[in-house]
Amino acid sequence: MLFNSPEFLFVFLPILLLVFFQLAGISQRLAASWLALGSLFFYAWWNPVYVLLLLCSIGFNYSVGRTLTQGNDVGSRRRTRLLTLGVTANLALLAYYKYANFFVDSVNLALGTHYALADIVLPLGISFFTFTQIAFLVDAARGKAKEFDPIHYGLFVTYFPHLIAGPVLHHGEMMPQFSQASTYRFSSEFFTVGLTTFVLGLFKKVVLADGIAPYAAPLFAAADQGTAVGLFQAWGGALSYTLQLYFDFSGYSDMAIGLSYMIGVRLPLNFNSPYKAISIADFWRRWHMTLSRFLRDYLYIPLGGNQKGPARRYVNLMLTMLLGGLWHGAGWTFVIWGGLHGLALVVHQAWRGLRVRLGHNLAISTRAGRTASIGLTFLVVVVGWVFFKASSLNAALLVLSGMVGLHGISLPDMVAARLGPLGPWLASHGVLLTPGGGRDFAMTFLWVIALLPMVFISPNTQQIMQRFKPTLDQQDSDHTSRLTWRCNTRWALAMAVVLALGLLSLTRPSEFLYFQF
Amino acid sequence: MKRYVYIWFMATALILALVAAINTVVDPYGIFRWVDQVGFNRVKPAAAKHGHMAKAYQVLRIQPKTLILGNSRAEVGLDPNHAAWPQNARPVYNAALPGTGTATSLQFMQHVLATDGIPTAARPTLVLWGLDFMDFLTEPTAPPVAHDHHDNNAESLRLMSANISQRWRQQLRDYAESTLTLNAVLDSVQTLASQHDPYATDLTAQGFNPMRDYIKITADEGYWSVFRQKDVAYNKSFSNFPKSLFDASGTTSKHWEDLKEVMRLCRQNGIELRLFTYPYHASMHEIFRKTGHAPGLELWRRRLVEVIAEEAAASGQPAFRLWDFSQINARTAEAVPAPGDRKSTMQWYWEAGHFKSALGGLMLEQMLGKSPPTGASQPKPPANMLSASGSRQASLPVDSPP
């Protein structure tokens, strides 16, 4: 079931919430169980068989976690062995479902063999529920996991707002919330703020992301077939995808936060205007923040982080990003994407080191410097998305070579005809005029021009909703613009337009891009 | 908070109601046609892309005596208002759907004939069905077709599903899509703005696409350029098409079975079925030749005649008639204006795959019996085509002055 499907919006969600608050009046445990059951149903809608897999995974990890914490022996061999077993089992499950085919294909490619596996259907959200539970096991072994209520644990893993596309939750921040009495009392403030946040996300997803999506797809479809594209078409498609992914993931994250806040449970912030980042490190503090946090705490730091000298630090950064890339998908393009970001992070660190040695004060920056940094970071990110989206390395290189003008410049006839005297001038200066495609060309750039300023300038949902703090660790911001949400008539009318546009765009629900990870 | 939610929801409901009302009146896809005013909403620029949906409803509303089936070639080539239609064949509905093959034609027939629960189901007495060679190409390794292979996907079945709740759901979805979507709003705006644009795309109430946009495109870009663009595309897609006309059985495929099923339905319901092949432009024949499809086209023609004859023999009735327009002659070989020539127009073709309704008119005159006997110099069809079937064979008269 998708958040943007009518079944979810008009049947599942109302029934789930109504029954939840009814049961909460009787017993909190009953209500929590209902929520977990509802979450399983939500998951089963997509593929009922995999509910068993999810339940097995939960049962296994809960038992291992429980066993780990018995006895006062943090750091003991027993714990290490048990933890190794638990983490290995989780990774093996992930490896089988997500990477077996990739591994076999890579072996075939390298050795010229023809091994084949039966098609393995990737269980939705397996990357997410595996990661959250590995973190739980690690913390249990370290003696940091405090709560072991089985219902709360089951609910924490299956909790439907995050189950299939994140954020990557942490037991330490979620399970205590399921024990709070306020979670089980209907609050019109929680509900209203949650619903408003959800609807803002719905709008981003179904109006903006799905609106621009048709203009990203043709470029990558052409590149997959080995067709070279001109400069404008390559940039138009790459920027469209950059914006589609942004509004898709941002919209999904808002929807997850809003859904959860309807019952007063705060999810961690996952998306904080990432294209406003002034460096690639800043980007990763703003994009898929809970994944970055997970990779930092459970991969980068255990690898040694920045504690073992600059060389090891760079190696650790690269390793973390390469694995982070692979986490996003079983394919070499994802590994390259991760590697590219790793490299950018290394360059960023080296650059900072150089500036410190030159005696620069890194705390001081100019407006022009910041603008240039944002531009450069954005450029690196766009180049990265080309690898991320393309189905093969060749396709990605074809798009990138188009973006640097290696396949020439072409304009649709119709567009050139509307440029007045500029059209013939361009034609006489090597711009190829091609028949057809004028409307799509114009629409691509209209969408890009409309959406691009939003990602750089406008406040994000957290800033709009800042007075009510529907997320965990929300930073206090001094953003006191008129775009801060208030519970008044003007906002009710504005949100009516947003909701109506969202509902009018519901037909043919499209999947969220992050479902595939 | 309660007041905020109340105002929010009420205002949303109001906006949605307003949007639904406007879209129902403007009716951008022509699914309702409750209000149909020249200068207000008669021209439907957004309807051509929603033919699947609109035609399923319109055909029930119009209750045609004659139904035209086929793909885009028939949709743009055969005018339901042409003078050749005899009075007792009217009203005519052009149910041809772009980009579709035999399966959709069959499903549309089933849709029209389905009477359970729909008292208004139309009962045509005459069906004209355009058969396209390319639709019959099949992977020779495709598994032999099961007897009842027709998949019941809601997209094309629309209202014919025997399952009432499924039918209602489909209907609800279609109505919602044409009234309660942002696309419908944008298409309504486009509809209102395009009424005085002589080149706006249109889909008439009888399901005909008059290709008004092509008048402008061919004038802007020249026929040569339009032919070239399409030829490149045809070349590419035909190169990828399989060459076989039969699946692993070696004698049939799901396409042939679709054809047989339509014939069976027509027999069963006393409908006169007239089959015809499309008049591909000579440059299309050249693409067939270059992509290795020319022998297949020949075989296909022969097999069509055989299949029709087999059906006639089995049913003990006179064979359904087939008109073969897929030959090269003076009209199908009409010269394309030179590159850069944006003044000259063509009389019979928009581009190699799509003939104009002028040529379609001549075809109708032949098929509906208003045409003088065909000229003597017309190329003779292979003898076995005539003898095997008893179907009438024809191609466009080449020697009568255009």
Side-chain angles (χ1 to χ4, degrees):
Chain A
M1 218 179 313
L2 300 166
F3 291 167
N4 54 336
S5 64
E7 303 91 270
F8 177 83
L9 289 173
F10 303 122
V11 183
F12 177 83
L13 187 62
I15 293 178
L16 186 83
L17 291 181
L18 272 175
V19 175
F20 173 77
F21 286 117
Q22 290 299 317
L23 290 178
I26 305 166
S27 148
Q28 291 188 4
R29 294 190 68 75
L30 207 59
S33 309
W34 164 257
L35 209 53
L37 211 65
S39 298
L40 285 175
F41 177 82
F42 172 81
Y43 190 76
W45 190 262
W46 168 76
N47 188 342
V49 179
Y50 281 158
V51 170
L52 280 178
L53 184 79
L54 178 62
L55 286 174
C56 288
S57 168
I58 292 172
F60 173 79
N61 284 299
Y62 179 74
S63 322
V64 174
R66 206 70 237 230
T67 320
L68 269 170
T69 48
Q70 281 161 5
N72 199 3
D73 57 346
V74 174
S76 71
R77 252 186 154 175
R78 181 191 73 90
R79 284 202 177 200
T80 314
R81 267 199 227 121
L82 201 54
L83 175 64
T84 312
L85 170 83
V87 172
T88 310
N90 276 299
L91 290 178
L93 190 74
L94 189 62
Y96 174 72
Y97 279 107
K98 195 160 176 176
Y99 300 108
N101 273 318
F102 171 60
F103 177 74
V104 170
D105 289 347
S106 298
V107 167
N108 285 342
L109 195 69
L111 305 179
T113 49
H114 297 282
Y115 297 113
L117 285 178
D119 271 345
I120 301 170
V121 180
L122 183 71
L124 217 53
I126 188 169
S127 315
F128 291 98
F129 68 71
T130 312
F131 272 28
T132 47
Q133 296 191 100
I134 287 178
F136 170 73
L137 292 186
V138 172
D139 288 355
R142 288 175 181 165
K144 286 185 186 162
K146 299 284 181 239
E147 200 195 325
F148 287 92
D149 183 303
I151 291 176
H152 290 176
Y153 181 76
L155 182 54
F156 146 69
V157 180
T158 60
Y159 193 43
F160 75 94
H162 97 291
L163 181 59
I164 42 190
V168 183
L169 297 184
H170 194 270
H171 56 93
E173 64 196 8
M174 295 308 294
M175 288 173 63
Q177 295 195 68
F178 295 130
S179 312
Q180 282 168 12
S182 61
T183 302
Y184 301 91
R185 260 197 316 269
F186 178 79
S187 147
S188 62
E189 181 189 313
F190 290 163
F191 180 77
T192 309
V193 171
L195 191 63
T196 304
T197 307
F198 176 82
V199 169
L200 286 172
L202 182 73
F203 177 84
K204 284 184 193 173
K205 163 65 186 163
V206 298
V207 180
L208 303 183
D210 290 354
I212 199 171
Y215 305 102
L219 166 72
F220 290 95
D224 289 349
Q225 295 192 335
T227 312
V229 283
L231 182 80
F232 289 125
Q233 289 77 2
W235 273 102
L239 286 175
S240 296
Y241 183 69
T242 301
L243 291 164
Q244 182 199 348
L245 192 55
Y246 176 97
F247 284 105
D248 191 276
F249 196 26
S250 167
Y252 172 82
S253 297
D254 287 350
M255 287 161 90
I257 288 167
L259 284 169
S260 185
Y261 200 65
M262 287 181 200
I263 59 168
V265 173
R266 290 188 166 92
L267 293 185
L269 189 58
N270 205 26
F271 204 85
N272 187 17
S273 299
Y275 294 163
K276 291 178 189 166
I278 53 163
S279 70
I280 201 71
D282 190 24
F283 173 79
W284 281 104
R285 283 192 292 269
R286 293 163 170 272
W287 177 279
H288 211 336
M289 299 154 73
T290 54
L291 176 70
S292 305
R293 181 181 71 174
F294 177 88
L295 292 175
R296 183 196 66 205
D297 293 347
Y298 297 96
L299 188 59
Y300 178 68
I301 292 177
L303 282 170
N306 57 4
Q307 301 298 306
K308 298 189 176 172
R312 269 299 295 276
R313 177 186 197 174
Y314 296 157
V315 171
N316 291 341
L317 266 177
M318 271 316 273
L319 264 177
T320 306
M321 294 314 289
L322 283 171
L323 286 172
L326 197 58
W327 177 86
H328 278 86
W332 287 107
T333 48
F334 290 105
V335 178
I336 294 169
W337 170 75
L340 187 80
H341 274 275
L343 196 68
L345 284 167
V346 168
V347 170
H348 172 247
Q349 286 301 334
W351 172 250
R352 278 172 67 92
L354 181 72
R355 287 191 62 195
V356 170
R357 276 204 296 285
L358 291 174
H360 292 184
N361 182 352
L362 296 184
I364 301 172
S365 63
T366 62
R367 197 187 174 86
R370 279 197 303 276
T371 309
S373 304
I374 292 173
L376 182 64
T377 307
F378 183 70
L379 190 68
V380 172
V381 169
V382 173
V383 170
W385 290 146
V386 172
F387 286 101
F388 192 82
K389 167 73 174 166
S391 64
S392 69
L393 180 59
N394 283 340
L397 293 177
L398 210 52
V399 172
L400 288 173
S401 53
M403 286 166 72
V404 292
L406 290 184
H407 304 305
I409 305 175
S410 69
L411 268 183
D413 261 341
M414 192 192 98
V415 175
R418 303 214 171 163
L419 292 177
L422 198 60
W425 184 85
L426 286 172
S428 65
H429 284 75
V431 175
L432 185 68
L433 301 187
T434 54
R439 197 186 125 86
D440 283 350
F441 185 91
M443 286 303 289
T444 304
F445 283 95
L446 280 177
W447 269 102
V448 169
I449 290 167
L451 297 192
L452 209 50
M454 287 178 72
V455 306
F456 290 119
I457 297 166
S458 64
N460 60 39
T461 307
Q462 284 65 47
Q463 288 163 332
I464 292 171
M465 304 306 293
Q466 60 176 317
R467 284 154 57 96
F468 295 87
K469 296 194 171 41
T471 58
L472 291 168
D473 351 294
Q474 183 145 6
Q475 297 124 2
D476 280 321
S477 93
D478 51 355
H479 217 286
T480 47
S481 75
R482 267 189 300 172
L483 275 172
T484 308
W485 182 79
R486 284 176 174 77
C487 193
N488 59 23
T489 306
R490 194 184 294 178
W491 266 101
L493 294 176
M495 286 305 298
V497 175
V498 171
L499 177 58
L501 286 172
L503 292 176
L504 288 173
S505 307
L506 277 187
T507 43
R508 300 208 187 93
S510 59
E511 289 192 356
F512 292 93
L513 295 178
Y514 259 73
F515 274 27
Q516 50 191 301
F517 304 133
Chain B
M1 292 278 176
K2 274 189 188 138
R3 197 179 119 82
Y4 165 87
V5 174
Y6 179 77
I7 297 174
W8 181 13
F9 282 14
M10 288 310 281
T12 305
L14 202 68
I15 294 171
L16 294 180
L18 202 65
V19 163
I22 291 171
N23 285 333
T24 307
V25 171
V26 178
D27 190 17
Y29 310 131
I31 179 171
F32 307 114
R33 302 231 183 222
W34 289 340
V35 178
D36 186 21
Q37 292 285 324
V38 176
F40 171 66
N41 72 342
R42 170 67 58 82
V43 177
K44 305 280 189 201
K49 282 187 183 155
H50 292 78
H52 272 274
M53 179 173 71
K55 288 189 175 184
Y57 292 90
Q58 282 302 302
V59 74
L60 299 184
R61 191 184 67 95
I62 291 199
Q63 305 222 0
K65 289 264 178 44
T66 303
L67 199 61
I68 299 168
L69 295 176
N71 57 21
S72 56
R73 309 188 211 289
E75 186 183 61
V76 309
L78 300 185
D79 183 354
N81 280 328
H82 193 274
W85 296 105
Q87 207 47 48
N88 62 3
R90 293 170 189 253
V92 178
Y93 192 76
N94 189 329
L97 288 166
T100 63
T102 52
T104 304
S105 297
L106 167 60
Q107 282 168 344
F108 210 95
M109 270 300 282
Q110 292 169 327
H111 164 64
V112 167
L113 294 173
T115 46
D116 53 309
I118 312 175
T120 56
R123 285 265 168 190
T125 51
L126 174 65
V127 169
L128 263 62
W129 185 13
L131 299 172
D132 201 326
F133 163 54
M134 305 312 288
D135 284 341
F136 281 77
L137 295 174
T138 308
E139 288 295 345
T141 52
V145 55
H147 198 68
D148 52 344
H149 68 275
H150 306 109
D151 51 307
N152 291 2
N153 73 67
E155 177 65 28
S156 40
L157 290 179
R158 295 288 160 187
L159 308 182
M160 65 148 285
S161 166
N163 179 336
I164 295 218
S165 88
Q166 200 178 333
R167 196 157 66 209
W168 275 50
R169 274 218 302 276
Q170 181 64 43
Q171 210 161 343
L172 201 67
R173 209 176 303 150
D174 289 340
Y175 288 162
E177 194 181 314
S178 36
T179 56
L180 274 173
T181 64
L182 195 56
N183 285 341
V185 176
L186 299 175
D187 290 335
S188 279
V189 172
Q190 192 197 1
T191 304
L192 294 176
S194 304
Q195 292 304 313
H196 301 290
D197 173 3
Y199 307 120
T201 325
D202 190 16
L203 189 71
T204 68
Q206 276 99 23
F208 174 59
N209 178 349
M211 291 287 264
R212 304 181 346 153
D213 48 333
Y214 263 64
I215 300 172
K216 185 162 168 30
I217 293 171
T218 48
D220 284 354
E221 302 188 8
Y223 276 86
W224 184 86
S225 168
V226 176
F227 261 70
R228 196 179 125 258
Q229 283 173 56
K230 288 286 186 177
D231 285 357
V232 168
Y234 291 140
N235 223 321
K236 201 170 163 186
S237 63
F238 292 2
S239 305
N240 295 329
F241 271 51
K243 299 275 189 302
S244 174
L245 288 167
F246 310 110
D247 60 24
S249 71
T251 52
T252 187
S253 74
K254 59 183 184 348
H255 309 293
W256 295 106
E257 295 306 310
D258 289 339
L259 170 60
K260 291 176 192 170
E261 179 63 13
V262 170
M263 291 197 285
R264 195 189 64 77
L265 281 175
C266 288
R267 286 285 184 219
Q268 191 186 356
N269 290 282
I271 297 168
E272 189 182 347
L273 175 66
R274 299 187 187 179
L275 300 161
F276 63 96
T277 64
Y278 294 114
Y280 306 115
H281 186 266
S283 73
M284 190 85 138
H285 282 278
E286 177 59 13
I287 296 170
F288 287 150
R289 194 187 60 75
K290 275 198 293 196
T291 52
H293 286 296
L297 178 60
E298 231 11 80
L299 178 63
W300 175 68
R301 285 195 187 114
R302 272 203 297 276
R303 183 66 193 144
L304 273 183
V305 175
E306 285 167 17
V307 167
I308 292 166
E310 283 162 14
E311 189 277 339
S315 68
Q317 307 265 336
F320 289 122
R321 292 194 285 175
L322 166 73
W323 279 262
D324 182 15
F325 298 108
S326 68
Q327 313 266 1
I328 299 184
N329 57 38
R331 286 201 175 87
T332 59
E334 182 183 14
V336 179
D341 180 354
R342 298 179 189 207
K343 293 242 163 62
S344 310
T345 60
M346 290 179 72
Q347 189 177 6
W348 308 119
Y349 285 89
W350 296 111
E351 37 88 3
H354 293 90
F355 53 95
K356 292 186 173 179
S357 58
L359 189 58
L362 295 179
M363 292 160 63
L364 288 177
E365 282 171 5
Q366 277 209 321
M367 289 190 280
L368 300 168
K370 277 198 177 174
S371 169
T374 54
S377 65
Q378 152 195 348
K380 285 270 182 288
N384 60 343
M385 292 180 84
L386 278 173
S387 57
S389 70
S391 316
R392 197 160 101 196
Q393 257 287 309
S395 59
L396 288 176
V398 286
D399 54 347
S400 53

